[in-house]
Amino acid sequence: MYCKVEFWKYSRKSGRNVPPLQLVSVGVQCFSNIMARRKESDRAQQNNDDSDSNPNDELEEEPDFDDPEGYEDDISEQDLMGDLIRQRPKETDGVESIVVIDGVPQVGPERIEKLQNVLKKLFQKFGKITNEYYPLNPDGSTKGHVFIEYSNASEALEVLKGTNGYKFDKNHTFTVNLLTDFEKYNDILDKWENPVPQPFKEQGCLQYYLLDQDACDQFSVVYEQGDKVAVYLNTQPEPTLLEERPRWTETLVRWSPLGTYLATFHAKGIALWGGEKFQQIVRFSHPGVQFIDFSPCEKYLVSFSPLADSRATDEPQAIIIWDVLSGLKRRAFNADKSQALPIFKWSHDDKYFARMGVDMLSVYETPSFGLLDKKSIKVQGIRDFAWSPTDNTIAYWVGEEKDTPARVTLLELPSRNEVRVKNLFSVADCKMYWQKSGDYLCVKVDRYAKLRKDKSDIKYSGIYYNLEVFHMREKQIPVDSVEIKETIQAFAWEPVGTKFAVIHGEPPSTSVSFYEVKTGQTPTMVKKYERKPCNQLYWAPSGQFIVLAGLRAMSGTLEFVDTHDFTVMNTGEHFMATDVEWDPTGRYVATAVSWWGHKVDNAYWLWSFQGRILKRVALDKFCQLQWRPRPPSLLSAQQIKDIKKSLKKYSAQFEVKDRLKMTKASKELVEKRRKLMQEYEDLRKQKQEEYAEQRRRRIELRNNVDTDETEGRGGELEEETVEFFIKEETTFIDE
């Protein structure tokens, strides 16, 4: 049996006549009728069985499956029939998936088909169109608005976000609404009711760590396979434990870009912690989350759950963008499994975020979270893109296609003006590296060498490498090229400065070259180190100092270099090290052997920037060490320059402070050792008394032989010497 549910038309507030849509009737199978028929069938079957049975057979008592009197079932329908409940029809089915588009051109009967084709091409990008209706005037012309029905409500919401305000041509701009909005706006109360204010929740000072007088940095440690998390203050000579909690996270932790929040991962979502006591600030519900990404200014949080199920809500669940302060969900997206993380990349000021699709670049703006100018940027063959760290400029590159060369393009937003285009030939791959200050962009280009064509196919004789350096602050953005014949293993810009470093060559004959970029000049090589066993480069946050590291397979070799005069300050080794982390001030370096990379020798070591080992800490199943970031300095460039000039004046004060700290630390260490020695003496005395009390019992167990004394035993003990032959060697010496 099927119950027919019909949906009738909605009248518009503007008074226009809207004919009813031909909506699909929803068939609902009546569960009660099915059960009634099943009971009748069971009774008929039972009667047949009774008639066929032998009356002489002994009747057995049937078991009673009824619930006892007063029994209350605490299992909800959602637990028993969750899938069926999600699929049951709702009163609003067929209505929530309808959008109304105003501002459509009014055309005559002869141009209606062309208008329908253009609009269908535009709106079918957001989902499957199941029905569309074009209201007509008596003369057959369109009325200027259209009704379009999609397969579900989430697709209709995407249309609303993506096309409301869309400029169709110079005379027509679309106004898009959901059909249900008209009833919602019609039911607005005449009397306004003020919302109930929410009580203020005191969160404390979230930037308290910046007030430390000695500017000591904090770092987090995850160990015991993720079961324990601790936060330390990097004081000298011993770090100070600030907070330690078991099962604080289920996988790992992550600091926000400015260091305000500590994010922990859980099966049901993400939690942010902050303040002096690390109390919970906000939490975001996203089951199965495995990856998060903060916007640079910490306004928004992107969470990614690859196993998210959108069937329950008919809405995207894989990627969710949250407002950090309010904890509200701002927008959700579906995920493309082929895309690399992070899927969204943010501009430096949180105004824009972008993702790459097939032959297009989609740029969204905040706080509306809609497409910039209501449409994506079509880029045929786009491979990758990257935001400038200081300007709203995107750099992207496009691969070669037939006779069209590859190219790198600098795109200015929101104007979409191409400020620079660089064509590249015989390109295999590109990688883009922005300098932290945004003054330079380096594109590493892998090129095919000596292309030759055979009759059957195309063959290549090898690959060489080019570094294309864009001078962003100069007029017309000139581009310089540096050719490197050997394989490039790693590249890194100096964060504050004009140098960059390159590891090139094949192990074990890798070399490290340093180049300097000057205004109006081609980058020049200033230093080259031959045969350096390294595969990673780690610049200090303030520049000048760099660590050449040979991680994992290279056994953890470390070399500390001062690039001011290219002096090798020190060398060291942390065997099988997997990670290297500079602290935000550039004074200390942490190296680590993570349990995620190696199952033995898990520990972290702390070094000075000069390469002097300060601390070795071994932890059971140590997983991760992360320094707490600091926000950018509020000092101007001139103020920083003046401080550097007067550094000698401040150095004397800092040295006095350091000596006082060491003296205090020494006193504390002596006191600690004295206390441990006293505890040892007390324990030793206690054990000696117990040993003396047990003397008689020992003698009885040893056949009345006193073995405690080594002298005066007389004939009680016998001494026996055993000699045996071990080895004989014969050596002939020629005279």
Side-chain angles (χ1 to χ4, degrees):
M1 182 176 180
Y2 292 88
C3 300
K4 187 175 182 181
V5 181
E6 294 185 352
F7 298 97
W8 297 87
K9 66 180 180 180
Y10 280 73
S11 61
R12 301 187 60 189
K13 191 173 182 180
S14 60
R16 295 181 182 176
N17 184 23
V18 181
L21 294 175
Q22 297 177 354
L23 303 177
V24 181
S25 299
V26 182
V28 182
Q29 199 167 19
C30 298
F31 181 73
S32 58
N33 292 341
I34 294 175
M35 295 303 297
R37 290 182 182 181
R38 183 174 294 176
K39 288 182 179 179
E40 292 178 1
S41 176
D42 292 343
R43 283 198 294 268
Q45 182 68 30
Q46 184 178 0
N47 293 334
N48 293 336
D49 294 343
D50 292 343
S51 62
D52 295 339
S53 62
N54 189 347
N56 296 327
D57 294 342
E58 183 180 357
L59 298 177
E60 296 181 359
E61 183 180 357
E62 295 183 358
D64 184 11
F65 294 101
D66 294 336
D67 294 328
E69 185 176 355
Y71 175 78
E72 294 184 2
D73 193 354
D74 58 352
I75 303 178
S76 64
E77 293 182 354
Q78 182 68 33
D79 296 333
L80 291 175
M81 300 180 295
D83 295 337
L84 293 176
I85 290 176
R86 285 197 294 267
Q87 297 173 7
R88 66 181 177 186
K90 297 179 293 185
E91 184 180 353
T92 55
D93 282 352
V95 180
E96 290 181 337
S97 58
I98 300 173
V99 293
V100 184
I101 300 99
D102 277 323
V104 178
Q106 298 183 13
V107 299
E110 70 281 358
R111 300 180 61 189
I112 289 180
E113 183 177 356
K114 181 178 180 181
L115 177 65
Q116 290 176 342
N117 292 335
V118 173
L119 292 181
K120 188 172 183 179
K121 184 178 179 181
L122 172 63
F123 287 100
Q124 69 183 0
K125 296 187 298 184
F126 297 93
K128 182 180 179 181
I129 298 177
T130 60
N131 197 5
E132 52 186 343
Y133 179 74
Y134 290 77
L136 303 177
N137 291 313
D139 60 355
S141 61
T142 60
K143 290 189 174 182
H145 56 273
V146 179
F147 296 84
I148 298 180
E149 180 182 1
Y150 286 86
S151 58
N152 56 61
S154 62
E155 294 177 353
L157 286 173
E158 290 298 316
V159 176
L160 177 64
K161 295 174 182 177
T163 61
N164 186 32
Y166 178 80
K167 193 170 184 179
F168 187 67
D169 55 36
K170 63 180 181 179
N171 296 323
H172 299 87
T173 301
F174 291 163
T175 302
V176 183
N177 291 283
L178 297 175
L179 188 58
T180 52
D181 289 344
F182 295 99
E183 182 181 18
K184 180 178 69 174
Y185 298 142
N186 201 29
D187 295 340
I188 295 177
L189 299 175
D190 296 333
K191 185 179 180 181
W192 167 255
E193 295 182 1
N194 292 323
V196 179
Q198 297 295 322
F200 175 73
K201 183 179 179 182
E202 179 63 40
Q203 296 179 347
C205 180
L206 299 181
Q207 285 79 28
Y208 78 96
Y209 62 97
L210 299 175
L211 303 178
D212 186 82
Q213 293 183 353
D214 299 320
C216 294
D217 288 297
Q218 297 180 9
F219 62 91
S220 62
V221 175
V222 180
Y223 60 103
E224 291 189 7
Q225 200 174 340
D227 287 343
K228 285 188 177 182
V229 179
V231 179
Y232 289 89
L233 183 67
N234 189 30
T235 53
Q236 295 300 324
E238 294 289 333
T240 303
L241 178 63
L242 300 179
E243 192 74 25
E244 184 179 25
R245 297 180 189 177
R247 294 178 296 279
W248 199 351
T249 184
E250 296 182 14
T251 52
L252 50 88
V253 299
R254 181 171 177 181
W255 294 101
S256 59
L258 303 181
T260 308
Y261 307 103
L262 178 67
T264 56
F265 289 71
H266 307 274
K268 295 184 178 180
I270 298 294
L272 299 187
W273 311 78
E276 295 187 35
K277 300 299 182 181
F278 288 95
Q279 66 266 25
Q280 188 178 102
I281 305 299
V282 65
R283 57 185 177 181
F284 308 100
S285 177
H286 196 182
V289 61
Q290 295 184 9
F291 175 83
I292 64 170
D293 185 33
F294 284 91
S295 63
C297 299
E298 300 183 345
K299 293 180 181 177
Y300 307 105
L301 172 72
V302 182
S303 59
F304 171 58
S305 175
L307 305 178
D309 186 8
S310 60
R311 293 176 299 173
T313 59
D314 288 332
E315 293 183 2
Q317 296 291 323
I319 305 172
I320 300 178
I321 301 180
W322 307 88
D323 188 298
V324 172
L325 290 179
S326 64
L328 299 178
K329 180 168 71 172
R330 302 307 302 266
R331 187 166 180 183
F333 296 86
N334 289 317
D336 185 358
K337 294 183 179 179
S338 62
Q339 287 185 318
L341 297 175
I343 295 176
F344 288 104
K345 298 179 182 179
W346 291 85
S347 65
H348 74 287
D349 55 3
D350 289 6
K351 286 186 178 180
Y352 308 101
F353 61 98
R355 73 184 298 182
M356 186 178 62
V358 179
D359 297 333
M360 69 176 182
L361 181 64
S362 300
V363 181
Y364 300 84
E365 57 184 346
T366 59
S368 65
F369 291 88
L371 279 171
L372 181 64
D373 296 335
K374 306 298 180 183
K375 57 184 177 182
S376 298
I377 303 171
K378 293 183 179 179
V379 184
Q380 190 72 26
I382 184 172
R383 299 288 187 86
D384 195 11
F385 75 98
W387 284 95
S388 166
T390 55
D391 303 290
N392 287 330
T393 302
I394 284 181
Y396 66 85
W397 80 277
V398 176
E400 288 186 270
E401 185 176 357
K402 296 182 180 178
D403 297 330
T404 305
R407 71 181 188 273
V408 176
T409 304
L410 298 177
L411 186 68
E412 198 175 59
L413 293 173
S415 64
R416 304 195 181 196
N417 180 33
E418 293 184 356
V419 295
R420 187 69 164 88
V421 177
K422 173 70 174 177
N423 291 331
L424 304 169
F425 298 91
S426 303
V427 174
D429 192 17
C430 285
K431 233 175 186 180
M432 295 174 289
Y433 302 91
W434 281 97
Q435 189 207 27
K436 185 178 179 181
S437 59
D439 295 337
Y440 303 99
L441 167 67
C442 180
V443 180
K444 181 179 76 71
V445 185
D446 302 357
R447 296 179 184 269
Y448 295 115
K450 295 182 181 180
L451 175 67
R452 64 177 184 269
K453 298 182 179 179
D454 294 343
K455 293 182 179 180
S456 58
D457 59 353
I458 299 175
K459 295 184 179 179
Y460 306 97
S461 62
I463 289 181
Y464 69 99
Y465 302 86
N466 267 35
L467 300 177
E468 304 290 338
V469 180
F470 291 71
H471 298 251
M472 299 300 298
R473 306 304 182 197
E474 297 183 33
K475 189 176 181 180
Q476 297 182 347
I477 311 180
V479 181
D480 292 321
S481 182
V482 177
E483 183 176 335
I484 298 178
K485 297 292 186 181
E486 299 175 307
T487 303
I488 295 179
Q489 305 289 349
F491 176 95
W493 278 104
E494 184 180 16
V496 181
T498 58
K499 293 189 285 289
F500 64 84
V502 182
I503 301 177
H504 51 91
E506 295 292 342
S509 300
T510 54
S511 301
V512 183
S513 298
F514 291 86
Y515 291 82
E516 188 167 7
V517 184
K518 295 183 179 180
T519 303
Q521 297 181 13
T522 302
T524 56
M525 182 188 295
V526 292
K527 184 66 176 179
K528 183 177 181 179
Y529 292 101
E530 301 281 357
R531 300 184 63 86
K532 289 293 181 182
C534 61
N535 53 15
Q536 296 292 335
L537 300 166
Y538 296 95
W539 284 95
S542 56
Q544 183 177 344
F545 304 105
I546 188 172
V547 176
L548 312 180
L551 303 183
R552 299 180 183 272
M554 289 192 172
S555 302
T557 58
L558 305 170
E559 196 159 331
F560 297 80
V561 179
D562 182 357
T563 61
H564 178 70
D565 53 5
F566 292 98
T567 302
V568 177
M569 299 180 292
N570 206 348
T571 58
E573 179 180 343
H574 188 174
F575 184 69
M576 300 307 291
T578 57
D579 304 283
V580 177
E581 293 279 348
W582 280 91
D583 81 321
T585 62
R587 295 178 294 178
Y588 303 98
V589 184
T591 59
V593 179
S594 173
W595 185 79
W596 295 329
H598 296 283
K599 303 304 180 186
V600 295
D601 298 331
N602 304 130
Y604 69 88
W605 295 2
L606 295 179
W607 310 69
S608 71
F609 74 96
Q610 297 167 323
R612 182 168 55 91
I613 186 68
L614 303 176
K615 185 73 175 176
R616 294 182 175 91
V617 180
L619 293 173
D620 182 32
K621 296 181 180 178
F622 163 80
C623 298
Q624 180 192 39
L625 182 144
Q626 275 194 333
W627 293 97
R628 187 171 193 169
R630 287 176 174 267
S633 175
L634 299 178
L635 299 176
S636 64
Q638 184 60 41
Q639 289 174 321
I640 295 176
K641 188 176 181 181
D642 294 340
I643 291 174
K644 288 183 177 179
K645 287 182 178 179
S646 307
L647 193 58
K648 290 184 178 179
K649 180 179 68 175
Y650 298 115
S651 296
Q653 302 176 13
F654 296 149
E655 289 175 1
V656 172
K657 275 190 172 183
D658 291 341
R659 284 196 296 268
L660 290 175
K661 282 184 181 178
M662 294 303 296
T663 302
K664 182 179 179 182
S666 299
K667 290 181 179 179
E668 292 177 353
L669 184 61
V670 169
E671 185 63 31
K672 182 180 179 181
R673 289 177 177 176
R674 184 182 292 112
K675 183 178 180 182
L676 291 174
M677 188 64 184
Q678 184 62 41
E679 291 177 357
Y680 167 74
E681 292 292 346
D682 294 341
L683 180 62
R684 184 171 181 271
K685 183 179 179 181
Q686 177 185 349
K687 295 302 179 181
Q688 285 177 340
E689 293 175 354
E690 293 178 0
Y691 188 79
E693 292 175 356
Q694 297 170 358
R695 183 172 182 276
R696 177 178 295 181
R697 180 59 177 162
R698 284 196 304 276
I699 294 175
E700 293 177 356
L701 294 174
R702 296 171 185 174
N703 297 324
N704 294 322
V705 177
D706 186 3
T707 59
D708 292 349
E709 301 293 337
T710 58
E711 297 180 358
R713 294 183 181 176
E716 294 181 1
L717 299 179
E718 296 181 358
E719 182 179 350
E720 182 178 356
T721 302
V722 178
E723 296 181 358
F724 55 91
F725 179 76
I726 299 177
K727 186 178 180 182
E728 180 180 353
E729 291 185 359
T730 303
T731 304
F732 295 94
I733 302 174
D734 296 333
E735 295 183 356

